[in-house]
Amino acid sequence: MNIKTIPKTIIIVPAYNEEASIATTLTSLIELSNQIDRLEICVVNDGSTDRTKEIIDTFDIVSLHLPQNLGIGGAVQTGYKYAYNHGFEIAVQFDADGQHNVHDLLELIEPIIKEEEDMVIGSRFLKKTDYKGSKTRRIGIYYFYIVLKLLTKKRFTDPTSGYRAINRKVITLFAHHYPKDYPEPEVLMHLNRKNMRIKEVTANMHARLGGESSITPMKSIYYFGKVTLSILMQSIVKE
Amino acid sequence: MNINLFSFLIVCLFFVIVIESVRRGILETKDALIWLFLSVILGILSLSRGLLELIADWLGIVYAPSLLFLFGLLSTIIMIFDLTRRISKLNQKVIHLTQEFALLKEQQRNSSSEFEEKRKENI
């Protein structure tokens, strides 16, 4: 696909202690934005304690520096609030660790430009991709696939993917309400309840360039419990 | 000194500390209410053994002082739960403030760089 003009779009890059990979990620994003009009990049520095801030400041992009660490949910929401305040039509969440592929971005936003979908998720499992995650990670993802399928009757093959594009309607929703820690699966439940149209497209993901996953083995038990509970809560929560 | 008088004195001391904290502005009045209420009830119960036994009898509790434990434990749990709710609420406020701070700072950086450019143009 080759589009030069798209609706006002912003790429939100949440970054927490990503000094090893942030420069590469931003460089490839800037290359892309130079080819496309009205594509802006916004990086949210989630109170990093390493050199992430200094590296970000060398780039000429929108940078939001949180004075303290809020976790992925709070950081991404800051980006959505920026998108909401500045009238962006499309927002794309893009990981700073180099896992996401810039070339999939247009595929992600195409259904939104055509106004066919409200959210598009880049999935590693829709078709077979080169993605090689650990077995435990795959089991975890499959677990949330099952839970969400039971509750929504819909297929989300990659419910933990952080590579997502949303339209103005969902930006408005997220600017006002966004789950706090480990938000990805919970968001799907929330949007499904709001009758938003969600679609998955195939996205290739690389192994991370550097930094650490936000989910360490020690945290994974808490992660499963918390996310399962919040997904279940989403189905009964008061609006 | 028997245990009834001893516990009453402790409750009185506690009551004074609560009042004093409010007076010095360390504790907000609305937060003090539940503590004052609790210490009055504990004060009455620790002095009047008859009342304690009456209620215990009414509730079918054989050993009356265990009613005090029940009462103490329940109010502690309720208060801790109330605190957790307040922490959640404060947490939301902190997140909101942190986000607004970052957004405003970016806005400020943006407008000051625009200002610089305009100034250079004028020179």
Side-chain angles (χ1 to χ4, degrees):
Chain A
M1 194 174 65
N2 213 344
I3 332 172
K4 288 270 186 250
T5 49
I6 54 172
K8 210 175 157 197
T9 300
I10 189 162
I11 303 172
I12 298 165
V13 187
Y16 175 61
N17 290 351
E18 299 281 7
E19 60 180 3
S21 55
I22 187 79
T24 324
T25 306
L26 291 181
T27 311
S28 63
L29 284 174
I30 287 170
E31 245 169 58
L32 181 78
S33 75
N34 287 340
Q35 294 161 23
I36 301 168
D37 287 340
R38 303 211 284 176
L39 182 66
E40 272 187 56
I41 300 156
C42 162
V43 50
V44 186
N45 167 24
D46 190 9
S48 299
T49 49
D50 61 359
R51 289 182 52 251
T52 304
K53 184 180 188 299
E54 284 78 9
I55 299 171
I56 292 170
D57 282 340
T58 60
F59 290 90
D60 184 25
I61 49 175
V62 176
S63 49
L64 304 169
H65 296 288
L66 299 174
Q68 59 200 8
N69 180 257
L70 289 186
I72 178 76
V76 172
Q77 195 190 25
T78 316
Y80 289 137
K81 284 185 173 175
Y82 182 88
Y84 176 74
N85 293 344
H86 292 80
F88 284 92
E89 294 297 326
I90 300 173
V92 184
Q93 185 188 330
F94 194 96
D95 280 2
D97 57 19
Q99 283 194 85
H100 296 163
N101 194 327
V102 182
H103 306 292
D104 295 324
L105 199 127
L106 290 176
E107 305 269 327
L108 239 73
I109 60 176
E110 191 191 358
I112 294 179
I113 296 173
K114 288 182 179 163
E115 295 182 8
E116 291 168 355
E117 308 289 338
D118 297 307
M119 176 191 249
V120 181
I121 304 167
S123 167
R124 290 161 279 189
F125 307 110
L126 203 59
K127 279 185 206 134
K128 191 149 177 58
T129 64
D130 303 336
Y131 175 75
K132 288 185 191 71
S134 68
K135 199 148 205 165
T136 35
R137 184 164 290 254
R138 282 162 174 271
I139 292 170
I141 295 168
Y142 189 67
Y143 167 77
F144 289 119
Y145 164 76
I146 295 288
V147 172
L148 284 166
K149 190 160 183 203
L150 285 174
L151 289 171
T152 65
K153 313 271 183 284
K154 286 181 185 138
R155 274 166 47 105
F156 298 109
T157 60
D158 198 353
T160 62
S161 164
Y163 199 6
R164 336 182 126 185
I166 58 172
N167 65 6
R168 179 76 190 166
K169 209 157 66 177
V170 184
I171 292 175
T172 312
L173 270 178
F174 283 176
H176 294 98
H177 173 84
Y178 198 73
K180 293 300 158 326
D181 38 5
Y182 313 129
E184 285 84 7
E186 196 181 336
V187 160
L188 295 176
M189 192 71 203
H190 178 64
L191 292 185
N192 185 64
R193 260 194 98 199
K194 295 259 179 197
N195 294 319
M196 296 289 164
R197 298 159 299 173
I198 307 171
K199 185 193 175 186
E200 287 187 323
V201 297
T202 300
N204 286 294
M205 297 205 193
H206 320 282
R208 53 176 55 248
L209 287 174
E212 274 166 29
S213 167
S214 53
I215 303 161
T216 59
M218 281 296 277
K219 281 188 194 157
S220 60
I221 295 170
Y222 166 73
Y223 174 83
F224 277 108
K226 192 264 162 185
V227 178
T228 307
L229 180 68
S230 46
I231 290 175
L232 292 174
M233 281 298 190
Q234 254 327 308
S235 56
I236 55 165
V237 81
K238 202 173 95 186
E239 287 299 327
Chain B
M1 189 163 66
N2 72 19
I3 185 68
N4 286 33
L5 188 63
F6 180 66
S7 40
F8 181 72
L9 286 179
I10 289 185
V11 171
C12 282
L13 180 70
F14 180 69
F15 190 84
V16 173
I17 292 176
V18 174
I19 298 281
E20 185 62 15
S21 309
V22 176
R23 205 178 62 84
R24 292 193 189 177
I26 301 167
L27 187 65
E28 278 182 46
T29 319
K30 76 175 170 124
D31 296 325
L33 277 176
I34 188 160
W35 289 112
L36 292 176
F37 179 69
L38 189 71
S39 47
V40 168
I41 291 196
L42 279 176
I44 294 171
L45 286 180
S46 60
L47 267 193
S48 126
R49 183 130 197 177
L51 181 65
L52 191 68
E53 264 159 16
L54 189 77
I55 302 172
D57 192 45
W58 185 53
L59 289 172
I61 298 169
V62 181
Y63 179 60
S66 64
L67 178 65
L68 276 181
F69 289 110
L70 176 72
F71 181 72
L73 198 65
L74 273 184
S75 33
T76 317
I77 290 174
I78 292 170
M79 270 187 211
I80 294 177
F81 180 67
D82 182 56
L83 282 180
T84 326
R85 279 174 44 142
R86 281 171 199 232
I87 292 174
S88 287
K89 211 170 167 186
L90 282 176
N91 193 31
Q92 282 174 13
K93 290 183 182 178
V94 169
I95 288 176
H96 186 75
L97 275 177
T98 309
Q99 292 176 333
E100 284 303 311
F101 175 86
L103 290 167
L104 276 175
K105 217 170 165 190
E106 170 66 17
Q107 201 178 30
Q108 185 204 30
R109 192 183 72 130
N110 222 333
S111 55
S112 67
S113 63
E114 265 170 33
F115 177 76
E116 282 289 310
E117 272 167 30
K118 272 196 187 139
R119 204 173 58 107
K120 272 180 199 157
E121 276 168 23
N122 288 341
I123 291 172

